Amino acid sequence: TQLLEQSPQFLSIQEGENLTVYCNSSSVFSSLQWYRQEPGEGPVLLVTVVTGGEVKKLKRLTFQFGDARKDSSLHITAAQPGDTGLYLCAGLNNAGNMLTFGGGTRLMVKP
Amino acid sequence: DAGITQSPRHKVTETGTPVTLRCHQTENHRYMYWYRQDPGHGLRLIHYSYGVKDTDKGEVSDGYSVSRSKTEDFLLTLESATSSQTSVYFCAIRKAGNTIYFGEGSWLTVV
């Protein structure tokens, strides 16, 4: 069983601050996906990273896939209250048939 | 729009009754998944399908069965619902680039 450790579990910050969420594993993944989930809704895909060392940017969000494809990070610059939500990382195994989720990071950005 | 429809969206049922949740996709993707999401456990894979009549177990398959008689439909059945199966159930599909998209969820309460 592949495991993904996501940290921190909870994060409460002020508007304008920067933050980083980490997703770590001892397993290699073929790709890693980041989702954001609002209460009462399904996870919404933010980005997929596939290549070791890959960096993708989505406005103020920067996603990085580790060189060995075992870990990933999400960095948010100048957080806004609209960034509040549950952030989930998920790794797809090499066979491509199973997506394993981290435990999630619940982010609150206060105005 | 991920092209996924889950039904019912909300259901309350009694212990011991059978329950079937339906996932319908509009784009003929091969892989479909059923997850459940619970506080403290995150998203866990119940079953997945890699084609018509081709299914396999996930991490938490006990008490659940699935069927896929058509490409577009993936059914999750609780043969005899228990209170521990009270949860939010998400269907997902795998699209090009090994990217996985989720439906909006089905809230099931077993009383």
Side-chain angles (χ1 to χ4, degrees):
Chain A
T1 303
Q2 296 180 303
L3 296 175
L4 267 172
E5 298 289 334
Q6 193 171 338
S7 62
Q9 283 185 286
F10 301 97
L11 195 53
S12 180
I13 60 173
Q14 292 295 134
E15 181 177 0
E17 293 183 5
N18 301 331
L19 67 113
T20 302
V21 177
Y22 299 93
C23 192
N24 296 300
S25 177
S26 58
S27 302
V28 176
F29 295 101
S30 66
S31 65
L32 201 135
Q33 321 205 14
W34 285 91
Y35 296 85
R36 180 178 158 193
Q37 187 177 21
E38 302 284 355
E41 299 179 5
V44 175
L45 182 69
L46 296 174
V47 77
T48 300
V49 285
V50 179
T51 306
E54 182 177 5
V55 176
K56 280 192 175 179
K57 292 191 175 184
L58 190 66
K59 296 183 180 179
R60 293 176 293 100
L61 279 60
T62 301
F63 305 86
Q64 185 162 8
F65 202 12
D67 291 341
R69 291 187 289 130
K70 294 182 179 180
D71 53 83
S72 182
S73 63
L74 157 61
H75 183 78
I76 301 179
T77 303
Q80 305 293 313
D83 296 327
T84 293
L86 177 66
Y87 290 82
L88 298 160
C89 66
L92 188 66
N93 64 350
N94 287 329
N97 56 0
M98 287 198 184
L99 191 67
T100 301
F101 278 84
T105 295
R106 195 164 296 279
L107 172 66
M108 177 175 289
V109 182
K110 301 174 184 177
Chain B
D1 182 9
I4 306 169
T5 303
Q6 290 186 228
S7 60
R9 294 291 315 280
H10 298 272
K11 186 174 181 66
V12 180
T13 192
E14 293 186 350
T15 299
T17 60
V19 177
T20 295
L21 305 180
R22 178 179 181 244
C23 178
H24 178 79
Q25 61 154 326
T26 59
E27 299 177 359
N28 291 322
H29 294 286
R30 183 180 168 202
Y31 277 86
M32 298 183 74
Y33 308 82
W34 275 107
Y35 283 84
R36 61 178 287 175
Q37 186 174 31
D38 305 286
H41 292 280
L43 279 146
R44 294 178 293 175
L45 181 65
I46 305 171
H47 281 279
Y48 68 96
S49 170
Y50 47 98
V52 173
K53 297 186 180 179
D54 291 324
T55 65
D56 207 346
K57 296 179 180 180
E59 180 186 357
V60 289
S61 60
D62 287 349
Y64 301 94
S65 63
V66 290
S67 65
R68 191 155 176 214
S69 58
K70 297 184 292 183
T71 300
E72 59 265 35
D73 290 326
F74 191 31
L75 304 181
L76 177 70
T77 297
L78 291 65
E79 301 290 348
S80 178
T82 66
S83 58
S84 65
Q85 292 176 311
T86 292
S87 186
V88 185
Y89 292 86
F90 289 101
C91 175
I93 58 176
R94 195 178 92 186
K95 296 190 179 184
N98 284 343
T99 301
I100 297 180
Y101 292 85
F102 284 80
E104 296 185 339
S106 294
W107 273 253
L108 177 67
T109 302
V110 183
V111 298

